[in-house]
Amino acid sequence: MKTYRTRVGATAVLVSLVSLAPLASLGSAAHAGPSVPWVQAWGHNGAGQLGNGSTLDQQTPTSVRGLARGHVRELAGGGYNSTIAFAVALLRDGTVQTWGGNSDGQLGDGTRASRPHPAAVAGLSGVTEVAAGGYFAYAVRSGRVLAWGDNASGQLGNGTTTASPTPVMALPPGSGTTRVAASTSWTSSYAY
């Protein structure tokens, strides 16, 4: 088992993942038991960032509710303190799910209500890459970057400083973008 950690402030938010190499050697995700959660989370859980349906801290790994091992392609953890920490999961079908703190719309669900379990970001499909920052997140789709959440420093890239609780265009189609990254300590964004 490989362990990947994302630190948010002094809290380990995510993740312990079963190594993708053994999954690939099975030949089919169906053989990996798609009903068995493979994303594990532990640590502080004040905003529901562990995704297990509660806001109770976990000292041992717990399953993120509703994410089957064969369905997740990529994870990103955002937020820089334990009251706003959140997570973004890119699923193999190109859709995106988020959970945790949502003070600035960083879950992309059109609200500012925190959520202790994964749910879809409406309207996002065909996504190939995700990233999470302090209070904001990104998705790459067809060479364009979509962004949502806090925008006090213009980190959504849409020419304003107005927050958006739903995805907005940061880089247009044809930009050739395939990867994005975001800073959790500062409000910097990167795309290439």
Side-chain angles (χ1 to χ4, degrees):
M1 174 184 289
K2 288 186 180 178
T3 300
Y4 302 88
R5 291 191 180 103
T6 298
R7 281 193 133 342
V8 175
T11 305
V13 176
L14 286 176
V15 298
S16 173
L17 304 177
V18 172
S19 172
L20 294 177
L23 292 178
S25 69
L26 295 172
S28 168
H31 294 106
S35 65
V36 177
W38 68 288
V39 177
Q40 300 286 299
W42 61 93
H44 187 73
N45 196 27
Q49 64 265 38
L50 300 184
N52 64 352
S54 82
T55 56
L56 300 175
D57 294 352
Q58 281 291 141
Q59 285 71 46
T60 58
T62 184
S63 294
V64 174
R65 192 164 97 184
L67 291 182
R69 70 188 288 164
H71 295 170
V72 178
R73 182 184 335 167
E74 183 181 343
L75 291 166
Y80 59 85
N81 71 45
S82 59
T83 61
I84 61 160
F86 69 104
V88 179
L90 171 58
L91 304 186
R92 292 196 184 279
D93 66 3
T95 61
V96 176
Q97 293 196 6
T98 58
W99 63 94
N102 196 26
S103 59
D104 287 271
Q106 61 263 41
L107 297 186
D109 63 1
T111 75
R112 285 181 169 45
S114 295
R115 190 178 54 246
H117 57 83
V121 176
L124 278 187
S125 62
V127 173
T128 57
E129 176 89 9
V130 294
Y135 298 83
F136 56 97
Y138 300 117
V140 175
R141 178 175 67 189
S142 301
R144 70 186 88 181
V145 176
L146 300 166
W148 59 93
D150 180 45
N151 197 26
S153 298
Q155 60 268 40
L156 298 187
N158 64 349
T160 75
T161 55
T162 303
S164 179
T166 57
V168 297
M169 185 77 60
L171 285 173
S175 68
T177 301
T178 60
R179 303 274 190 246
V180 288
S183 170
T184 57
S185 298
W186 304 101
T187 51
S188 304
S189 309
Y190 312 91
Y192 64 95

PDB file of all heavy atoms in Angstrom, residues 150-182:
ATOM      1  N   ASP A 150     -13.352  30.770  -3.630  1.00  0.00           N
ATOM      2  CA  ASP A 150     -12.878  32.109  -3.291  1.00  0.00           C
ATOM      3  C   ASP A 150     -12.145  32.731  -4.478  1.00  0.00           C
ATOM      4  O   ASP A 150     -11.496  32.041  -5.258  1.00  0.00           O
ATOM      5  CB  ASP A 150     -11.943  32.016  -2.083  1.00  0.00           C
ATOM      6  CG  ASP A 150     -11.402  33.359  -1.673  1.00  0.00           C
ATOM      7  OD1 ASP A 150     -12.186  34.323  -1.611  1.00  0.00           O
ATOM      8  OD2 ASP A 150     -10.186  33.450  -1.411  1.00  0.00           O
ATOM      9  N   ASN A 151     -12.237  34.054  -4.575  1.00  0.00           N
ATOM     10  CA  ASN A 151     -11.595  34.757  -5.688  1.00  0.00           C
ATOM     11  C   ASN A 151     -11.072  36.117  -5.249  1.00  0.00           C
ATOM     12  O   ASN A 151     -10.919  37.013  -6.068  1.00  0.00           O
ATOM     13  CB  ASN A 151     -12.601  34.911  -6.839  1.00  0.00           C
ATOM     14  CG  ASN A 151     -11.932  35.238  -8.164  1.00  0.00           C
ATOM     15  OD1 ASN A 151     -10.772  34.907  -8.388  1.00  0.00           O
ATOM     16  ND2 ASN A 151     -12.677  35.892  -9.037  1.00  0.00           N
ATOM     17  N   ALA A 152     -10.792  36.287  -3.958  1.00  0.00           N
ATOM     18  CA  ALA A 152     -10.372  37.587  -3.425  1.00  0.00           C
ATOM     19  C   ALA A 152      -9.117  38.124  -4.099  1.00  0.00           C
ATOM     20  O   ALA A 152      -8.941  39.337  -4.221  1.00  0.00           O
ATOM     21  CB  ALA A 152     -10.173  37.493  -1.914  1.00  0.00           C
ATOM     22  N   SER A 153      -8.239  37.239  -4.557  1.00  0.00           N
ATOM     23  CA  SER A 153      -7.013  37.658  -5.231  1.00  0.00           C
ATOM     24  C   SER A 153      -7.035  37.361  -6.719  1.00  0.00           C
ATOM     25  O   SER A 153      -5.997  37.358  -7.368  1.00  0.00           O
ATOM     26  CB  SER A 153      -5.808  36.964  -4.585  1.00  0.00           C
ATOM     27  OG  SER A 153      -5.690  37.330  -3.234  1.00  0.00           O
ATOM     28  N   GLY A 154      -8.199  37.056  -7.253  1.00  0.00           N
ATOM     29  CA  GLY A 154      -8.316  36.761  -8.672  1.00  0.00           C
ATOM     30  C   GLY A 154      -7.899  35.357  -9.046  1.00  0.00           C
ATOM     31  O   GLY A 154      -7.666  35.065 -10.215  1.00  0.00           O
ATOM     32  N   GLN A 155      -7.825  34.458  -8.068  1.00  0.00           N
ATOM     33  CA  GLN A 155      -7.326  33.111  -8.327  1.00  0.00           C
ATOM     34  C   GLN A 155      -8.242  32.270  -9.213  1.00  0.00           C
ATOM     35  O   GLN A 155      -7.828  31.241  -9.727  1.00  0.00           O
ATOM     36  CB  GLN A 155      -6.996  32.375  -7.025  1.00  0.00           C
ATOM     37  CG  GLN A 155      -8.152  32.186  -6.087  1.00  0.00           C
ATOM     38  CD  GLN A 155      -8.282  33.300  -5.069  1.00  0.00           C
ATOM     39  OE1 GLN A 155      -8.093  34.460  -5.370  1.00  0.00           O
ATOM     40  NE2 GLN A 155      -8.611  32.941  -3.843  1.00  0.00           N
ATOM     41  N   LEU A 156      -9.479  32.706  -9.457  1.00  0.00           N
ATOM     42  CA  LEU A 156     -10.339  31.965 -10.383  1.00  0.00           C
ATOM     43  C   LEU A 156     -10.004  32.286 -11.838  1.00  0.00           C
ATOM     44  O   LEU A 156     -10.453  31.594 -12.745  1.00  0.00           O
ATOM     45  CB  LEU A 156     -11.824  32.242 -10.108  1.00  0.00           C
ATOM     46  CG  LEU A 156     -12.339  31.839  -8.732  1.00  0.00           C
ATOM     47  CD1 LEU A 156     -13.850  32.009  -8.670  1.00  0.00           C
ATOM     48  CD2 LEU A 156     -11.925  30.423  -8.358  1.00  0.00           C
ATOM     49  N   GLY A 157      -9.232  33.349 -12.056  1.00  0.00           N
ATOM     50  CA  GLY A 157      -8.751  33.653 -13.396  1.00  0.00           C
ATOM     51  C   GLY A 157      -9.803  34.169 -14.359  1.00  0.00           C
ATOM     52  O   GLY A 157      -9.589  34.151 -15.567  1.00  0.00           O
ATOM     53  N   ASN A 158     -10.937  34.646 -13.833  1.00  0.00           N
ATOM     54  CA  ASN A 158     -12.009  35.101 -14.727  1.00  0.00           C
ATOM     55  C   ASN A 158     -12.106  36.622 -14.824  1.00  0.00           C
ATOM     56  O   ASN A 158     -13.094  37.153 -15.308  1.00  0.00           O
ATOM     57  CB  ASN A 158     -13.351  34.523 -14.274  1.00  0.00           C
ATOM     58  CG  ASN A 158     -13.784  35.010 -12.905  1.00  0.00           C
ATOM     59  OD1 ASN A 158     -13.012  35.618 -12.178  1.00  0.00           O
ATOM     60  ND2 ASN A 158     -15.023  34.721 -12.545  1.00  0.00           N
ATOM     61  N   GLY A 159     -11.058  37.325 -14.388  1.00  0.00           N
ATOM     62  CA  GLY A 159     -11.011  38.775 -14.525  1.00  0.00           C
ATOM     63  C   GLY A 159     -11.757  39.544 -13.454  1.00  0.00           C
ATOM     64  O   GLY A 159     -11.895  40.765 -13.565  1.00  0.00           O
ATOM     65  N   THR A 160     -12.243  38.848 -12.420  1.00  0.00           N
ATOM     66  CA  THR A 160     -12.941  39.513 -11.321  1.00  0.00           C
ATOM     67  C   THR A 160     -12.294  39.111  -9.996  1.00  0.00           C
ATOM     68  O   THR A 160     -11.365  38.312  -9.969  1.00  0.00           O
ATOM     69  CB  THR A 160     -14.438  39.122 -11.249  1.00  0.00           C
ATOM     70  OG1 THR A 160     -14.550  37.792 -10.705  1.00  0.00           O
ATOM     71  CG2 THR A 160     -15.095  39.179 -12.613  1.00  0.00           C
ATOM     72  N   THR A 161     -12.806  39.666  -8.924  1.00  0.00           N
ATOM     73  CA  THR A 161     -12.421  39.215  -7.584  1.00  0.00           C
ATOM     74  C   THR A 161     -13.674  38.776  -6.815  1.00  0.00           C
ATOM     75  O   THR A 161     -13.720  38.815  -5.596  1.00  0.00           O
ATOM     76  CB  THR A 161     -11.682  40.327  -6.804  1.00  0.00           C
ATOM     77  OG1 THR A 161     -12.509  41.495  -6.787  1.00  0.00           O
ATOM     78  CG2 THR A 161     -10.335  40.635  -7.433  1.00  0.00           C
ATOM     79  N   THR A 162     -14.678  38.328  -7.552  1.00  0.00           N
ATOM     80  CA  THR A 162     -15.924  37.859  -6.961  1.00  0.00           C
ATOM     81  C   THR A 162     -15.898  36.339  -6.847  1.00  0.00           C
ATOM     82  O   THR A 162     -15.631  35.644  -7.839  1.00  0.00           O
ATOM     83  CB  THR A 162     -17.129  38.284  -7.836  1.00  0.00           C
ATOM     84  OG1 THR A 162     -17.100  39.698  -7.977  1.00  0.00           O
ATOM     85  CG2 THR A 162     -18.441  37.846  -7.221  1.00  0.00           C
ATOM     86  N   ALA A 163     -16.183  35.820  -5.660  1.00  0.00           N
ATOM     87  CA  ALA A 163     -16.224  34.369  -5.445  1.00  0.00           C
ATOM     88  C   ALA A 163     -17.332  33.751  -6.287  1.00  0.00           C
ATOM     89  O   ALA A 163     -18.317  34.405  -6.630  1.00  0.00           O
ATOM     90  CB  ALA A 163     -16.468  34.072  -3.967  1.00  0.00           C
ATOM     91  N   SER A 164     -17.162  32.478  -6.622  1.00  0.00           N
ATOM     92  CA  SER A 164     -18.191  31.758  -7.370  1.00  0.00           C
ATOM     93  C   SER A 164     -18.378  30.366  -6.775  1.00  0.00           C
ATOM     94  O   SER A 164     -17.427  29.578  -6.752  1.00  0.00           O
ATOM     95  CB  SER A 164     -17.811  31.621  -8.843  1.00  0.00           C
ATOM     96  OG  SER A 164     -18.816  30.894  -9.520  1.00  0.00           O
ATOM     97  N   PRO A 165     -19.591  30.047  -6.303  1.00  0.00           N
ATOM     98  CA  PRO A 165     -19.841  28.710  -5.762  1.00  0.00           C
ATOM     99  C   PRO A 165     -20.143  27.667  -6.835  1.00  0.00           C
ATOM    100  O   PRO A 165     -20.470  26.535  -6.517  1.00  0.00           O
ATOM    101  CB  PRO A 165     -21.040  28.934  -4.842  1.00  0.00           C
ATOM    102  CG  PRO A 165     -21.788  30.051  -5.485  1.00  0.00           C
ATOM    103  CD  PRO A 165     -20.731  30.934  -6.106  1.00  0.00           C
ATOM    104  N   THR A 166     -20.022  28.054  -8.099  1.00  0.00           N
ATOM    105  CA  THR A 166     -20.166  27.128  -9.222  1.00  0.00           C
ATOM    106  C   THR A 166     -19.013  27.374 -10.191  1.00  0.00           C
ATOM    107  O   THR A 166     -18.429  28.454 -10.211  1.00  0.00           O
ATOM    108  CB  THR A 166     -21.508  27.339  -9.962  1.00  0.00           C
ATOM    109  OG1 THR A 166     -21.579  28.693 -10.403  1.00  0.00           O
ATOM    110  CG2 THR A 166     -22.700  27.019  -9.060  1.00  0.00           C
ATOM    111  N   PRO A 167     -18.662  26.373 -11.008  1.00  0.00           N
ATOM    112  CA  PRO A 167     -17.528  26.532 -11.924  1.00  0.00           C
ATOM    113  C   PRO A 167     -17.710  27.673 -12.925  1.00  0.00           C
ATOM    114  O   PRO A 167     -18.787  27.872 -13.478  1.00  0.00           O
ATOM    115  CB  PRO A 167     -17.480  25.182 -12.644  1.00  0.00           C
ATOM    116  CG  PRO A 167     -18.075  24.222 -11.674  1.00  0.00           C
ATOM    117  CD  PRO A 167     -19.184  24.999 -11.005  1.00  0.00           C
ATOM    118  N   VAL A 168     -16.616  28.448 -13.124  1.00  0.00           N
ATOM    119  CA  VAL A 168     -16.548  29.519 -14.121  1.00  0.00           C
ATOM    120  C   VAL A 168     -15.311  29.275 -14.983  1.00  0.00           C
ATOM    121  O   VAL A 168     -14.397  28.559 -14.581  1.00  0.00           O
ATOM    122  CB  VAL A 168     -16.477  30.927 -13.475  1.00  0.00           C
ATOM    123  CG1 VAL A 168     -17.739  31.222 -12.673  1.00  0.00           C
ATOM    124  CG2 VAL A 168     -15.243  31.072 -12.597  1.00  0.00           C
ATOM    125  N   MET A 169     -15.268  29.871 -16.158  1.00  0.00           N
ATOM    126  CA  MET A 169     -14.144  29.703 -17.075  1.00  0.00           C
ATOM    127  C   MET A 169     -12.936  30.511 -16.604  1.00  0.00           C
ATOM    128  O   MET A 169     -13.026  31.714 -16.416  1.00  0.00           O
ATOM    129  CB  MET A 169     -14.549  30.171 -18.473  1.00  0.00           C
ATOM    130  CG  MET A 169     -13.502  29.944 -19.524  1.00  0.00           C
ATOM    131  SD  MET A 169     -13.426  28.246 -20.063  1.00  0.00           S
ATOM    132  CE  MET A 169     -15.066  28.033 -20.698  1.00  0.00           C
ATOM    133  N   ALA A 170     -11.801  29.832 -16.412  1.00  0.00           N
ATOM    134  CA  ALA A 170     -10.557  30.514 -16.077  1.00  0.00           C
ATOM    135  C   ALA A 170      -9.689  30.655 -17.324  1.00  0.00           C
ATOM    136  O   ALA A 170      -9.143  31.714 -17.586  1.00  0.00           O
ATOM    137  CB  ALA A 170      -9.807  29.755 -14.992  1.00  0.00           C
ATOM    138  N   LEU A 171      -9.542  29.574 -18.056  1.00  0.00           N
ATOM    139  CA  LEU A 171      -8.827  29.584 -19.334  1.00  0.00           C
ATOM    140  C   LEU A 171      -9.753  28.981 -20.374  1.00  0.00           C
ATOM    141  O   LEU A 171     -10.347  27.923 -20.152  1.00  0.00           O
ATOM    142  CB  LEU A 171      -7.536  28.763 -19.257  1.00  0.00           C
ATOM    143  CG  LEU A 171      -6.381  29.396 -18.496  1.00  0.00           C
ATOM    144  CD1 LEU A 171      -5.235  28.404 -18.342  1.00  0.00           C
ATOM    145  CD2 LEU A 171      -5.890  30.653 -19.190  1.00  0.00           C
ATOM    146  N   PRO A 172      -9.893  29.620 -21.532  1.00  0.00           N
ATOM    147  CA  PRO A 172     -10.862  29.189 -22.536  1.00  0.00           C
ATOM    148  C   PRO A 172     -10.434  27.942 -23.299  1.00  0.00           C
ATOM    149  O   PRO A 172      -9.280  27.539 -23.250  1.00  0.00           O
ATOM    150  CB  PRO A 172     -10.930  30.395 -23.472  1.00  0.00           C
ATOM    151  CG  PRO A 172      -9.585  31.011 -23.368  1.00  0.00           C
ATOM    152  CD  PRO A 172      -9.158  30.815 -21.936  1.00  0.00           C
ATOM    153  N   PRO A 173     -11.380  27.364 -24.053  1.00  0.00           N
ATOM    154  CA  PRO A 173     -11.025  26.243 -24.932  1.00  0.00           C
ATOM    155  C   PRO A 173      -9.914  26.675 -25.877  1.00  0.00           C
ATOM    156  O   PRO A 173      -9.833  27.837 -26.254  1.00  0.00           O
ATOM    157  CB  PRO A 173     -12.315  25.980 -25.717  1.00  0.00           C
ATOM    158  CG  PRO A 173     -13.399  26.634 -24.955  1.00  0.00           C
ATOM    159  CD  PRO A 173     -12.778  27.755 -24.176  1.00  0.00           C
ATOM    160  N   GLY A 174      -9.061  25.736 -26.204  1.00  0.00           N
ATOM    161  CA  GLY A 174      -7.969  26.061 -27.117  1.00  0.00           C
ATOM    162  C   GLY A 174      -6.718  26.538 -26.402  1.00  0.00           C
ATOM    163  O   GLY A 174      -5.702  26.772 -27.032  1.00  0.00           O
ATOM    164  N   SER A 175      -6.780  26.686 -25.078  1.00  0.00           N
ATOM    165  CA  SER A 175      -5.594  27.131 -24.334  1.00  0.00           C
ATOM    166  C   SER A 175      -4.548  26.028 -24.274  1.00  0.00           C
ATOM    167  O   SER A 175      -3.395  26.291 -23.963  1.00  0.00           O
ATOM    168  CB  SER A 175      -5.975  27.576 -22.923  1.00  0.00           C
ATOM    169  OG  SER A 175      -6.413  26.465 -22.146  1.00  0.00           O
ATOM    170  N   GLY A 176      -4.957  24.791 -24.569  1.00  0.00           N
ATOM    171  CA  GLY A 176      -4.015  23.679 -24.571  1.00  0.00           C
ATOM    172  C   GLY A 176      -3.651  23.178 -23.184  1.00  0.00           C
ATOM    173  O   GLY A 176      -2.756  22.360 -23.040  1.00  0.00           O
ATOM    174  N   THR A 177      -4.332  23.635 -22.172  1.00  0.00           N
ATOM    175  CA  THR A 177      -4.016  23.246 -20.804  1.00  0.00           C
ATOM    176  C   THR A 177      -4.338  21.776 -20.566  1.00  0.00           C
ATOM    177  O   THR A 177      -5.391  21.289 -20.964  1.00  0.00           O
ATOM    178  CB  THR A 177      -4.815  24.106 -19.804  1.00  0.00           C
ATOM    179  OG1 THR A 177      -4.481  25.471 -20.031  1.00  0.00           O
ATOM    180  CG2 THR A 177      -4.494  23.732 -18.372  1.00  0.00           C
ATOM    181  N   THR A 178      -3.396  21.079 -19.937  1.00  0.00           N
ATOM    182  CA  THR A 178      -3.623  19.687 -19.560  1.00  0.00           C
ATOM    183  C   THR A 178      -3.448  19.460 -18.067  1.00  0.00           C
ATOM    184  O   THR A 178      -3.907  18.458 -17.546  1.00  0.00           O
ATOM    185  CB  THR A 178      -2.665  18.740 -20.312  1.00  0.00           C
ATOM    186  OG1 THR A 178      -1.317  19.097 -19.992  1.00  0.00           O
ATOM    187  CG2 THR A 178      -2.891  18.811 -21.811  1.00  0.00           C
ATOM    188  N   ARG A 179      -2.800  20.380 -17.361  1.00  0.00           N
ATOM    189  CA  ARG A 179      -2.533  20.233 -15.930  1.00  0.00           C
ATOM    190  C   ARG A 179      -2.789  21.543 -15.208  1.00  0.00           C
ATOM    191  O   ARG A 179      -2.576  22.628 -15.767  1.00  0.00           O
ATOM    192  CB  ARG A 179      -1.074  19.833 -15.682  1.00  0.00           C
ATOM    193  CG  ARG A 179      -0.641  18.589 -16.374  1.00  0.00           C
ATOM    194  CD  ARG A 179      -0.982  17.373 -15.515  1.00  0.00           C
ATOM    195  NE  ARG A 179      -0.362  16.194 -16.059  1.00  0.00           N
ATOM    196  CZ  ARG A 179      -1.042  15.187 -16.560  1.00  0.00           C
ATOM    197  NH1 ARG A 179      -2.335  15.203 -16.593  1.00  0.00           N
ATOM    198  NH2 ARG A 179      -0.420  14.139 -17.040  1.00  0.00           N
ATOM    199  N   VAL A 180      -3.212  21.444 -13.946  1.00  0.00           N
ATOM    200  CA  VAL A 180      -3.372  22.615 -13.090  1.00  0.00           C
ATOM    201  C   VAL A 180      -2.817  22.307 -11.711  1.00  0.00           C
ATOM    202  O   VAL A 180      -2.744  21.154 -11.304  1.00  0.00           O
ATOM    203  CB  VAL A 180      -4.855  23.059 -12.937  1.00  0.00           C
ATOM    204  CG1 VAL A 180      -5.372  23.683 -14.199  1.00  0.00           C
ATOM    205  CG2 VAL A 180      -5.727  21.926 -12.471  1.00  0.00           C
ATOM    206  N   ALA A 181      -2.422  23.353 -11.001  1.00  0.00           N
ATOM    207  CA  ALA A 181      -1.966  23.235  -9.622  1.00  0.00           C
ATOM    208  C   ALA A 181      -2.400  24.493  -8.890  1.00  0.00           C
ATOM    209  O   ALA A 181      -2.584  25.545  -9.508  1.00  0.00           O
ATOM    210  CB  ALA A 181      -0.445  23.089  -9.564  1.00  0.00           C
ATOM    211  N   ALA A 182      -2.581  24.374  -7.590  1.00  0.00           N
ATOM    212  CA  ALA A 182      -3.016  25.510  -6.782  1.00  0.00           C
ATOM    213  C   ALA A 182      -2.277  25.491  -5.463  1.00  0.00           C
ATOM    214  O   ALA A 182      -1.939  24.434  -4.945  1.00  0.00           O
ATOM    215  CB  ALA A 182      -4.521  25.444  -6.548  1.00  0.00           C
TER     216      ALA A 182
END
